Amino acid sequence: MQVETVKTTGSAATTLDSVRPMIRLVVKDIAIREGIDNPNALAEKTGLPYETCRRVWNDNSKHIGLSTIEALCDALRVRPGQLFDYEYEPDKKQATKGKR
């Protein structure tokens, strides 16, 4: 991880404004390793709806419920943290929410 250092009034200050986290699902990789070849097979193994499995398979989910995470962990024989990969993307801008 690179950290940008900025000089301010003679002293060095560290800023993490340019460093944004990225979380991605690695369900597909784990499932294939466990012999599950596609989202349909994952749906059969987990009991989850096909559309849910398709989204997590393709890393298109924005929100994942705890019951979904639990079903995936049981079927894939992993801990919850193993379903995700986390790395920094320094150039990615974080979306800001408007005032209400």
Side-chain angles (χ1 to χ4, degrees), residues 94-100:
Q94 185 175 20
T96 57
K97 294 183 179 180
K99 292 183 181 180
R100 291 185 177 184

Side-chain angles (χ1 to χ4, degrees), residues 53-78:
C53 291
R54 185 190 65 76
R55 284 188 186 122
V56 297
W57 187 272
N58 294 317
D59 190 21
N60 290 334
S61 290
K62 298 285 183 193
H63 304 280
I64 302 173
L66 291 177
S67 59
T68 299
I69 292 172
E70 184 176 8
L72 291 168
C73 288
D74 288 345
L76 300 174
R77 302 179 307 166
V78 296

Side-chain angles (χ1 to χ4, degrees), residues 15-47:
T15 177
L16 294 178
D17 290 339
S18 63
V19 180
R20 300 286 178 222
M22 181 184 144
I23 299 174
R24 71 177 193 94
L25 288 166
V26 291
V27 171
K28 180 179 180 178
D29 300 335
I30 297 167
I32 289 172
R33 187 178 69 222
E34 291 295 317
I36 299 170
D37 298 328
N38 55 55
N40 192 49
L42 183 62
E44 289 176 11
K45 178 99 174 174
T46 61

